[in-house]
């Protein structure tokens, strides 16, 4: 039996992001992944939202993604584009980048951190005791870990074996999605008709003046609406051909599929993200209609919320109760995504009354305040954790401000590259004493260059000091009186050390 502090079931974007976060904290983590190699069959999910891009910037790896993707306004609701170019962020856009490329970059990142990956095997079961989890594998000896995290998708074995309920709503819409070769040429782009929504596009494309321009050759990505939801068998090329003929009158000579899959608007969320020493993240914790492309993004954000907390508990820095804040913070975020994707799937119905409702929603989203509110939610820039009353920054993402420090100019996000918390003091230099936490929290005296502004809320009063968690969210705002600072430091980063 091999031992690791943390075992992660599933090596997709969520699992790899979590592994990278734990490795940054010096925690022994391993991934169990059923695929024998890193390459992902097909292109799958298609992009990153602004908050996820910020998170990658916080870790100093965003350029790896930006150099491979297409910068574009991807935020949308029920097919209506929501421009966020006026939002106060260094990344007021999304990134068009297929999941297979996202995974390849993340795999390179965790390889640099020497994260072991057990490939070609799956978790078959586990048993917990007071000190850890025994994890059975389909191949090779079992593993022993202090905690097991299920990042193993919507059909999560980890969730089922833990006995965590997965309540929600059954599907009302079903689509086939595939990458195939075609002898004919469809009408490119997204189409709505009496059958539903369909789309055709090549895997290779460019963004020119905000428009998608597909290459002349290469695999075609097809999405088509099935007439009846409810089938659970693996779709075949014949199934795809039959649906295309029913909807388009032709199957365009499809052949040589790379992959074919089915997705629906089934909407479910784990009742709890934790069962003792077992936790869930990503699709294992929440599944929903992919409208707005939010699934991969909130999974990566789950990982960044959980990683530093799990690391502190494993190291004994923080009590196990810190893990309860993971569910408390992330469950409401996913619940809102479930709500907005259910609303979007309802708006995709083809009857005249739904079309009238859609027109009304589009009119509302043409107004500034509704557009900003929903765009902030869809992009992740508007996430607000409830840390109680106080300054508007409390519980929100810290802006990536330009700072002037004794060692020179610095961006806020540069302070988070190693996933360590930081106390920024904008008042009198040396005015704070955090000696009992000095081994855990960076202390930086700085001046801020530029305005303090948040999405939707706009300009906010410049604080005298802010305490920033490793995930980039503000845990305390105050001044040199230090009221509440010791409590915040203890809550998030453990009891003070004896000095």
């Amino acid at each position: 039996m091999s031992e690791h502090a943390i075992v992660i079931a599933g090596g997709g974007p969520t699992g790899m992001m979590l592994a990278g976060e734990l490795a940054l904290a010096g925690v022994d983590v391993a991934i169990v992944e059923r695929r024998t190699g890193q390459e992902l069959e097909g292109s799958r999910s298609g992009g990153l939202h602004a908050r996820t891009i910020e998170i990658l910037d916080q870790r100093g790896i965003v350029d790896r993604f930006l150099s491979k993707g297409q910068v574009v306004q991807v935020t949308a609701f029920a097919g209506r584009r929501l421009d966020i170019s006026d939002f106060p962020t260094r990344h007021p856009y999304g990134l068009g980048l297929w999941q297979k490329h996202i995974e390849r970059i993340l795999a390179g990142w965790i390889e640099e951190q020497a994260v072991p990956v057990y490939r070609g095997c799956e978790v078959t079961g586990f048993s917990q005791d007071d000190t850890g989890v025994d994890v059975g594998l389909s191949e090779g000896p079992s593993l022993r870990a202090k905690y097991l995290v299920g990042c193993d998708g919507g059909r999560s074995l980890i969730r089922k074996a833990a006995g965590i309920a997965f309540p929600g709503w059954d599907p009302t819409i079903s689509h086939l999605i595939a990458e195939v070769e075609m002898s004919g040429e469809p009408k490119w782009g997204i189409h709505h008709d009496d059958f539903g929504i369909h789309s055709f596009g090549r895997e290779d494309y460019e963004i020119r003046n905000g428009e998608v321009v597909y290459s002349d050759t290469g695999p075609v990505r097809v999405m088509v609406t099935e007439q009846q939801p409810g089938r659970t068998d693996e779709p075949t090329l014949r199934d795809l051909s039959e649906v295309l003929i029913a909807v388009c009158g032709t199957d365009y000579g499809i052949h040589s599929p790379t992959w074919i899959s089915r997705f629906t608007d089934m909407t479910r969320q784990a009742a709890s993200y934790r069962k003792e020493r077992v936790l869930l993240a990503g699709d294992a914790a929440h599944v929903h209609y992919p409208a707005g492309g939010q699934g991969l993004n909130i999974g990566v954000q789950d990982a960044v919320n959980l990683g530093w907390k799990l690391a502190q508990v494993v190291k004994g820095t923080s009590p196990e109760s810190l893990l309860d804040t993971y569910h408390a913070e992330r469950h409401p975020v996913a619940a809102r995504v479930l709500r907005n994707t259910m609303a979007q799937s309802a708006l995709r119905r083809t009857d005249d009354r739904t079309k009238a409702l859609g027109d009304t929603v589009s009119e509302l989203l043409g107004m500034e305040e509704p557009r900003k509110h929903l765009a902030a939610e869809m992009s992740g820039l508007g996430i607000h954790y409830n840390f109680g009353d106080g300054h508007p920054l409390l519980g929100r993402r810290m802006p990536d401000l330009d700072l002037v420090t004794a060692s020179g100019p610095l961006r806020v996000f540069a302070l988070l590259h190693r996933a360590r918390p930081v106390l920024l003091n904008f008042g009198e230099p040396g005015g704070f004493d955090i000696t009992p936490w000095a081994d855990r929290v960076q202390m930086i005296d700085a001046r801020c260059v530029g305005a303090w502004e948040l999405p939707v809320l706009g300009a906010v009063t410049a604080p005298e000091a802010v305490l920033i968690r490793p995930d980039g969210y503000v845990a305390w705002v105050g001044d040199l009186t230090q009221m509440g600072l010791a409590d915040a430091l203890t809550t998030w980063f453990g009891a003070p050390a004896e000095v």
Side-chain angles (χ1 to χ4, degrees):
M1 179 182 292
S2 297
E3 293 193 16
H4 299 280
I6 309 292
V7 168
I8 298 170
T14 301
M16 285 193 285
M17 192 73 206
L18 178 58
E21 292 290 291
L22 289 163
L24 278 177
V27 171
D28 175 20
V29 57
I31 293 174
V32 177
E33 169 54 43
R34 61 182 176 81
R35 287 178 287 169
T36 56
Q38 177 52 51
E39 286 302 310
L40 179 67
E41 187 181 71
S43 52
R44 307 291 170 168
S45 178
L48 300 174
H49 280 295
R51 179 55 190 153
T52 308
I53 297 171
E54 283 192 338
I55 283 170
L56 298 171
D57 198 353
Q58 288 173 187
R59 296 299 178 258
I61 58 174
V62 70
D63 288 343
R64 306 183 190 192
F65 296 86
L66 294 176
S67 65
K68 300 297 183 183
Q70 309 264 349
V71 170
V72 64
Q73 293 296 326
V74 302
T75 307
F77 183 85
R80 182 182 177 93
R81 191 63 53 85
L82 301 174
D83 191 331
I84 65 168
S85 60
D86 60 343
F87 275 28
T89 170
R90 292 185 194 270
H91 305 287
Y93 48 75
L95 189 69
L97 185 64
W98 295 120
Q99 182 174 334
K100 63 181 182 181
H101 302 307
I102 294 170
E103 291 199 9
R104 187 181 302 123
I105 297 167
L106 286 173
W109 183 51
I110 66 169
E111 184 178 1
E112 291 168 9
Q113 300 181 74
V115 174
V117 182
Y118 294 85
R119 293 200 172 275
C121 63
E122 301 179 65
V123 174
T124 56
F126 60 85
S127 60
Q128 302 190 59
D129 57 40
D130 290 342
T131 60
V133 188
D134 291 324
V135 183
L137 304 182
S138 58
E139 301 287 340
S142 59
L143 302 175
R144 175 74 176 175
K146 292 182 179 179
Y147 290 90
L148 170 65
V149 186
C151 300
D152 52 339
R155 298 185 178 93
S156 173
L157 179 143
I158 306 301
R159 185 189 65 241
K160 295 173 183 175
I164 297 174
F166 202 43
W169 296 265
D170 292 332
T172 64
I173 302 171
S174 181
H175 302 279
L176 293 181
I177 188 169
E179 281 183 9
V180 296
E181 298 290 341
M182 281 186 176
S183 56
E185 183 167 314
K187 182 180 178 181
W188 304 112
I190 299 173
H191 315 292
H192 300 261
D193 59 27
D194 291 341
F195 292 99
I197 183 171
H198 325 288
S199 68
F200 301 91
R202 294 198 188 276
E203 180 182 347
D204 295 328
Y205 66 91
E206 292 182 10
I207 305 296
R208 300 177 188 167
N209 298 320
E211 298 296 325
V212 178
V213 179
Y214 296 105
S215 66
D216 294 330
T217 59
V220 176
R221 186 179 170 97
V222 179
M223 187 193 77
V224 62
T225 302
E226 293 188 283
Q227 301 311 294
Q228 296 294 331
R231 289 183 62 175
T232 57
D233 56 322
E234 288 296 321
T236 65
L237 187 64
R238 181 174 180 178
D239 293 330
L240 179 60
S241 174
E242 289 175 352
V243 175
L244 280 170
I245 291 170
V247 171
C248 304
T250 175
D251 68 359
Y252 300 101
I254 57 171
H255 62 92
S256 306
T258 304
W259 58 276
I260 304 174
S261 186
R262 174 181 285 115
F263 71 90
T264 72
D265 64 341
M266 181 177 72
T267 303
R268 297 187 180 278
Q269 185 174 22
S272 174
Y273 284 13
R274 177 186 171 212
K275 183 72 172 289
E276 298 171 356
R277 292 182 173 271
V278 175
L279 300 107
L280 305 175
D283 289 352
H286 38 74
V287 296
H288 52 82
Y289 195 55
Q294 299 166 92
L296 183 153
N297 288 269
I298 63 171
V300 168
Q301 292 170 39
D302 285 346
V304 175
N305 183 286
L306 176 60
W308 64 274
K309 298 173 181 177
L310 200 51
Q312 290 183 181
V313 171
V314 166
K315 290 179 169 182
T317 304
S318 295
E320 197 171 311
S321 59
L322 181 64
L323 297 179
D324 294 334
T325 68
Y326 169 59
H327 172 95
E329 292 173 7
R330 294 304 299 172
H331 192 277
V333 171
R336 290 188 67 85
V337 171
L338 265 59
R339 188 181 72 171
N340 80 51
T341 54
M342 288 176 68
Q344 291 182 77
S345 66
L347 286 169
R348 292 188 186 278
R349 293 173 186 151
T350 58
D351 62 277
D352 289 339
R353 287 175 174 80
T354 303
K355 289 178 181 177
L357 175 61
D359 290 343
T360 302
V361 170
S362 291
E363 288 178 11
L364 291 172
L365 293 179
M367 303 174 186
E368 278 294 276
E369 290 308 309
R371 188 264 305 181
K372 288 181 178 180
H373 176 83
L374 199 52
E377 179 175 326
M378 299 287 290
S379 66
L381 294 173
I383 289 172
H384 180 206
Y385 299 138
N386 184 10
F387 297 165
D389 297 331
H391 193 281
L393 276 170
L394 191 63
R396 289 186 167 89
R397 52 175 273 288
M398 177 66 183
D400 185 25
L401 301 171
D402 289 307
L403 306 176
V404 177
T405 71
S407 56
L410 202 61
R411 288 170 50 198
V412 168
F413 284 4
L415 295 169
L416 298 173
H417 285 183
R418 300 301 302 172
R420 290 190 62 206
V422 58
L423 176 63
L424 280 178
N425 171 34
F426 299 104
E428 179 185 342
F432 285 92
D433 180 11
I434 60 167
T435 303
W437 292 273
D439 60 330
R440 287 160 264 170
V441 180
Q442 306 170 78
M443 172 69 211
I444 304 291
D445 294 322
R447 288 189 298 105
C448 175
V449 179
W452 290 76
E453 191 175 359
L454 295 173
V456 183
L457 296 183
V460 298
T461 303
E464 286 195 31
V466 292
L467 178 64
I468 309 168
R469 306 191 316 185
D471 57 357
Y473 289 84
V474 176
W476 174 84
V477 181
D479 55 32
L480 291 177
T481 65
Q482 299 194 196
M483 289 183 60
L485 177 58
D487 288 342
L489 288 165
T490 301
T491 295
W492 298 115
F493 311 119
E498 294 183 9
V499 293

